[in-house]
Amino acid sequence: MKDKQRTPKENKPSRRRCEAWKKAIHMELREHKSSFLVFTVLRMLVVVTMVLQFFNKNYENVYLCVLTLLLLIVPSFLQVSIKVELPTGLEIIILLFIFSAEILGEIRAFYLRIPIWDTILHTLNGFLMAAIGFSLVDILNRGERFSFKLSPAYMAIVAFCFSMTIGVLWEFFEWGMDVFFHLDMQKDTVLTSITSVMLNTEGLNVPVTIGGITDVAVNGESLGLGGYLDIGLYDTMKDLFVNFIGAVVFSTVGFFYVKNRGKGRFAKRFIPRLKSKDRDFLAIAEEEEEMEQAKEDKQ
């Protein structure tokens, strides 16, 4: 038997649903003038970069630009879908973080031009992930469906663990990209000394140090780097350490925020909260679509 073709009436619910989502995300983007201004400016910069990369035939960078455009909408999409309100300050930082990592870091090569660029972003990532982890627990802690109350110390520990878990998973991702696609996401470090038990000629479990390394040759050819080339280990450990610092900073701030019953102004700017009913843009958009559908049915 042949599959029955869907009639226009049968397609209306899904079309209405898509229209409601578009309206909701549009309303979410325009809710705060400052974050919308940042979003608009960054989007324009990404589009200009994408056009330039296309004409330069850097199609991989074009893909990064498309990915960045999608990522810039993610904060608004999450707010609409899970009904959580991101503070304006946090939303702006997330948008700037995405732009800094993808456009400035990758395409404009800030990771190479500014040695501390990667360190800054990983520190900020630890801070942001701790804020998100803290907010998840805080929302559950204030939810009407749950009767338990978590201590400020426990919430801070959960936020810290959440941030570190995200940091570790990201390092797993970088390692996977390097192993399978040879992208060198784990940047290398030039060292002037190395210590290893494998250098022990007697086969003992005693480390041997070689210092004052000024050059390394591979297959008889000098690398010309002025030292020994470490393959990603130092970069990974540095990223995890600065992620640790960012997580500790926000977890400490969040601890005092909860302990003082939400009176901290600084932490309040970075901790998401549940949306109020008048800010549930998806419900508002769906109601508008239903009203339009009712008008069409009457006609």
Side-chain angles (χ1 to χ4, degrees):
M1 295 178 64
K2 294 184 178 180
D3 295 335
K4 294 182 178 179
Q5 294 183 350
R6 292 185 177 181
T7 63
K9 289 185 178 181
E10 291 176 336
N11 289 330
K12 282 185 178 180
S14 59
R15 188 172 68 250
R16 291 291 183 186
R17 181 70 176 175
C18 291
E19 290 298 325
W21 270 96
K22 290 180 182 178
K23 286 184 178 180
I25 292 177
H26 184 73
M27 287 188 285
E28 189 66 60
L29 287 170
R30 292 180 174 273
E31 182 181 11
H32 303 292
K33 292 182 179 180
S34 54
S35 60
F36 179 68
L37 177 62
V38 172
F39 170 80
T40 303
V41 172
L42 294 182
R43 185 173 60 174
M44 290 175 61
L45 291 174
V46 174
V47 171
V48 171
T49 302
M50 182 170 62
V51 172
L52 293 175
Q53 295 301 317
F54 178 80
F55 283 112
N56 290 332
K57 297 182 179 180
N58 295 324
Y59 299 118
E60 183 177 343
N61 288 342
V62 172
Y63 164 76
L64 284 176
C65 290
V66 173
L67 177 63
T68 304
L69 290 174
L70 294 176
L71 290 175
L72 290 175
I73 304 177
V74 168
S76 297
F77 177 81
L78 291 177
Q79 290 181 86
V80 170
S81 60
I82 62 179
K83 305 183 190 306
V84 170
E85 185 70 37
L86 294 180
T88 305
L90 178 63
E91 187 172 0
I92 290 175
I93 291 177
I94 292 175
L95 294 174
L96 292 175
F97 179 84
I98 293 170
F99 183 82
S100 299
E102 298 297 331
I103 303 301
L104 297 181
E106 296 290 345
I107 296 179
R108 303 302 300 171
F110 273 34
Y111 288 126
L112 298 177
R113 296 181 182 181
I114 305 176
I116 63 171
W117 190 256
D118 185 57
T119 301
I120 293 172
L121 292 183
H122 275 280
T123 306
L124 185 58
N125 178 73
F127 184 89
L128 292 176
M129 290 303 103
I132 293 174
F134 188 90
S135 66
L136 294 175
V137 182
D138 187 48
I139 289 172
L140 290 175
N141 215 26
R142 298 185 182 187
E144 298 178 355
R145 297 181 180 181
F146 300 90
S147 58
F148 59 85
K149 294 295 179 181
L150 304 179
S151 67
Y154 182 83
M155 294 179 66
I157 291 173
V158 171
F160 169 80
C161 293
F162 179 84
S163 177
M164 291 305 300
T165 300
I166 297 299
V168 170
L169 291 176
W170 178 255
E171 294 304 320
F172 285 168
F173 172 76
E174 286 190 348
W175 174 83
M177 292 296 102
D178 291 351
V179 170
F180 298 107
F181 300 100
H182 310 290
L183 296 181
D184 192 28
M185 295 186 69
Q186 295 174 297
K187 297 298 184 284
D188 305 328
T189 305
V190 177
L191 306 175
T192 57
S193 66
I194 58 174
T195 301
S196 174
V197 296
M198 296 186 70
L199 297 174
N200 193 308
T201 57
E202 299 178 0
L204 301 176
N205 190 28
V206 178
V208 174
T209 300
I210 298 179
I213 300 174
T214 58
D215 193 17
V216 172
V218 177
N219 296 330
E221 295 185 8
S222 171
L223 295 180
L225 298 175
Y228 173 79
L229 185 64
D230 167 73
I231 310 297
L233 176 60
Y234 275 70
D235 178 73
T236 296
M237 296 310 299
K238 178 200 65 179
D239 291 346
L240 290 176
F241 182 71
V242 295
N243 190 103
F244 169 85
I245 293 175
V248 167
V249 169
F250 190 87
S251 297
T252 303
V253 172
F255 170 80
F256 288 105
Y257 171 79
V258 176
K259 192 172 183 179
N260 296 325
R261 298 183 179 179
K263 294 181 181 180
R265 293 183 178 180
F266 178 78
K268 199 172 184 178
R269 298 175 181 176
F270 300 99
I271 298 179
R273 59 188 180 277
L274 288 173
K275 276 185 172 293
S276 56
K277 292 184 179 180
D278 61 325
R279 294 293 180 182
D280 187 352
F281 296 125
L282 182 57
I284 295 173
E286 287 177 341
E287 186 176 348
E288 291 178 356
E289 288 296 322
E290 289 178 0
M291 292 176 63
E292 291 181 8
Q293 180 62 47
K295 289 181 181 180
E296 290 180 3
D297 293 340
K298 287 182 180 180
Q299 294 176 353

